[in-house]
Amino acid sequence: MEQYVAFLGNHPVLSIIWVVLAAMLVSSWFKSQFSKIRQINPQQLTMLVNRQDGQVFDMRAAKEFNQGHIAGSEQVSAEKLKQKDFAGLEKHKSKPIILVCNTGMTASAVADNMHKAGFEQVFVLSGGIGAWQSAGLPISNGK
């Protein structure tokens, strides 16, 4: 214990950085545990689509979408969704909606806005399309 106190006294900047990082980690964990938006893996995505008639929306650019996407997914403009323009998605409001982007980061922010707009079941593919491909699951080319 004396070593920790000595370290804190000798390295106050490093100690503050460590405390801030630990607080951010705990905050992030709590936020993910109590969030209405669930991060799902590729297998869970498949189950949602097959068993609960879930719809996959791919937020990547049209060019990336055409190069390869999850079968049955629809391409939507990430810019429109970021601006809370959910026109055309209202018919899916009560169904499970799975958002896919490159890494899962863009989709997370949009999913939160969709939930606030009244979409009941919004999910994000954790790791994005890269996670889908890494799992060895098939992608469709073209439209």
Side-chain angles (χ1 to χ4, degrees):
M1 185 65 164
E2 292 176 22
Q3 292 175 341
Y4 293 122
V5 174
F7 181 84
L8 291 172
N10 293 332
H11 306 286
V13 174
L14 288 176
S15 301
I16 291 170
I17 291 172
W18 184 87
V19 169
V20 169
L21 288 174
M24 289 172 58
L25 182 64
V26 169
S27 170
S28 174
W29 181 82
F30 273 107
K31 184 178 178 182
S32 70
Q33 293 300 310
F34 298 108
S35 174
K36 300 286 185 188
I37 309 305
R38 287 198 37 225
Q39 298 277 330
I40 61 172
N41 62 37
Q43 291 75 21
Q44 292 169 317
L45 181 149
T46 303
M47 288 177 51
L48 278 172
V49 170
N50 291 336
R51 295 185 181 170
Q52 298 181 25
D53 197 28
Q55 179 60 50
V56 179
F57 289 102
D58 195 319
M59 299 173 48
R60 297 175 301 141
K63 182 179 178 182
E64 292 175 318
F65 179 81
N66 290 333
Q67 289 175 350
H69 57 273
I70 298 169
S73 63
E74 295 180 29
Q75 198 271 334
V76 293
S77 168
E79 295 305 317
K80 283 185 179 182
L81 295 179
K82 285 179 187 177
Q83 296 171 4
K84 301 179 184 179
D85 180 4
F86 305 124
L89 303 181
E90 276 78 20
K91 63 183 176 183
H92 301 286
K93 228 173 189 175
S94 61
K95 292 182 180 182
I97 293 176
I98 304 106
L99 297 175
V100 177
C101 62
N102 283 320
T103 62
M105 300 301 290
T106 304
S108 294
V110 169
D112 190 44
N113 289 335
M114 288 182 77
H115 181 73
K116 289 176 185 174
F119 289 85
E120 297 173 13
Q121 301 178 63
V122 182
F123 302 88
V124 173
L125 178 59
S126 181
I129 195 72
W132 181 267
Q133 291 173 320
S134 293
L137 297 167
I139 59 171
S140 297
N141 294 329
K143 286 193 172 188

